[in-house]
Amino acid sequence: MAARRPQADTHPTTPAPATGEELVERARALQPWLRAQAERGEADRAVSPAVVDALADAGVFLLLTPRRLGGQEAGLRTLMEVSEVLGEADGSTAWTAVSVAVTNRLACLFPDRAQDEVFGAAPHARVTGATAPTGIGRRVPGGWAVTGRWSHNSAAPYATWAVVGALLQDGTGTAAHRALVLVPASEFVREDTWHTVGMRGTARHTLIARDIMVPDHRVLSVPAAAGGSCPPSGRPDGLPPALPLGLAPMLSACLVGPLLGLGNAALAAVREAATHEPVPSTVHGGPAGSVGVQIQLAEAALQLRTARLHAYDAVDRIDRGLVDHAERARVRAQAGHAAQHVLTAVDTLLNVHGADAFTDTDPLQRIWRDAGIAARHAGLVPAVGYEVYGKALLGIQEPVGLVI
């Protein structure tokens, strides 16, 4: 019998506030149904509308959004736990959940007027984003005319708004200032450019704009946000007051959750197979009796444990409020380090399972492809994180990225 989606406890337009434990259990209850939906998401190159509705009903998209805006007002640890559970069922679903949850929170750094426009009329607002500054803004009365092309916008077909990066021109026409702009999704032309071997269901499409009018209250300075100087809000929430200081490491750290889930799923699948399948070309009747298999399973499990310890330490630090450059640099490095440990664990598990892991019907091949794509996101490139952290350890003030 096909797995059925658990019914939401509340009307879909009013997701109930919940504790972190309750949010994790909502995600766990969806696992069997999400596993059954994974093949369709991969074939369609986008998770289904039903999956998006299920995540919305569970409060996942609004997990980091303040309660004053209808959100759950949870911390990054809860988002990590939820995305890890979702990743055990399907990597693309987990990535979609994280992308929208984080970008919804990013929209809350804009002035109150912009927040009301995004969340006031849409209890299930879904903000997606591509923060690389591949757009140009020129000054016009009342705001900016923005033109650009933004790739890798996860969950683009389901967005209600989008946050995109732009370089704003000064009085001489020079692109002098980096900003984020908040725009209704309907104002973009969306191009389906996501044709990959992994994370196919994330629908990371390209957004295209020509002279879109963006009013001043929907423009956010990236240097100011990275330095903790966001527009003041008259409606404080219970989320970390120093979140802008950890903006860039937050974006990196949150991407590790789906990878942890993929690693857990791989370990569970290989452990289950080890109880009944023989080890080819050996005298062992089953892998469980092979010392070589036992050692590799232990190595993989410890690699995943190491990744998890780094990932949760990182989000715990952000939840407490990052206050200095060195700490932010460490979190950036930890995110890439954790991702590499997951990749190593998955490779080890594939070695244990053998060539059968790459048959079309074996979930391990999709886990391998999804993890390979996810771990190579720009925010998780280990060499960049290590350089940032190494410079910080030596007191070198030379910048590496646009923000840390």
Side-chain angles (χ1 to χ4, degrees), residues 2-162:
R4 297 181 63 184
R5 171 187 162 190
Q7 295 301 305
D9 295 329
T10 58
H11 191 279
T13 59
T14 55
T19 65
E21 292 80 4
E22 289 169 338
L23 290 165
V24 172
E25 286 310 307
R26 289 180 187 179
R28 197 177 305 282
L30 289 171
Q31 281 186 330
W33 180 74
L34 291 175
R35 289 189 184 98
Q37 296 292 310
E39 278 193 36
R40 175 185 172 185
E42 180 160 84
D44 293 346
R45 292 182 301 105
V47 297
S48 71
V51 168
V52 171
D53 289 344
L55 294 175
D57 290 344
V60 174
F61 292 144
L62 297 177
L63 194 147
L64 299 179
T65 304
R67 287 184 178 172
R68 60 180 170 79
L69 296 172
Q72 298 292 336
E73 203 168 294
L76 296 185
R77 169 170 274 268
T78 299
L79 178 62
M80 183 77 76
E81 292 172 337
V82 167
S83 61
E84 182 177 359
V85 168
L86 294 173
E88 291 172 358
D90 177 42
S92 289
T93 296
W95 193 272
T96 297
V98 167
S99 298
V100 177
V102 169
T103 319
N104 273 359
R105 178 56 181 148
L106 190 57
C108 298
L109 300 181
F110 287 77
D112 288 345
R113 181 179 173 187
Q115 296 177 34
D116 288 339
E117 290 173 349
V118 172
F119 298 100
H124 274 334
R126 294 185 294 271
V127 187
T128 65
T131 58
T134 55
I136 294 291
R138 59 181 178 82
R139 203 54 160 126
V140 294
W144 299 84
V146 177
T147 296
R149 182 183 179 92
W150 297 269
S151 302
H152 308 318
N153 187 65
S154 298
Y158 302 112
T160 55
W161 289 74

Side-chain angles (χ1 to χ4, degrees), residues 187-202:
E187 295 189 23
F188 292 98
V189 173
R190 179 167 53 84
E191 187 177 339
D192 181 358
T193 52
W194 187 242
H195 298 270
T196 61
V197 297
M199 282 292 184
R200 289 177 175 172
T202 55

Side-chain angles (χ1 to χ4, degrees), residues 195-281:
H195 298 270
T196 61
V197 297
M199 282 292 184
R200 289 177 175 172
T202 55
R204 300 179 70 191
H205 296 175
T206 296
L207 302 181
I208 303 168
R210 184 172 182 82
D211 286 338
I212 289 180
M213 170 62 185
V214 182
D216 287 324
H217 68 276
R218 288 200 257 116
V219 177
L220 181 70
S221 165
V222 169
S229 302
C230 287
S233 173
R235 301 170 296 182
D237 54 57
L239 291 161
L243 180 60
L245 288 169
L247 175 59
M250 176 193 79
L251 297 176
S252 294
C254 288
L255 298 177
V256 182
L259 276 161
L260 294 177
L262 288 165
N264 294 342
L267 179 60
V270 174
R271 288 180 64 187
E272 195 279 330
T275 62
H276 58 80
E277 294 182 2
V279 181
S281 303

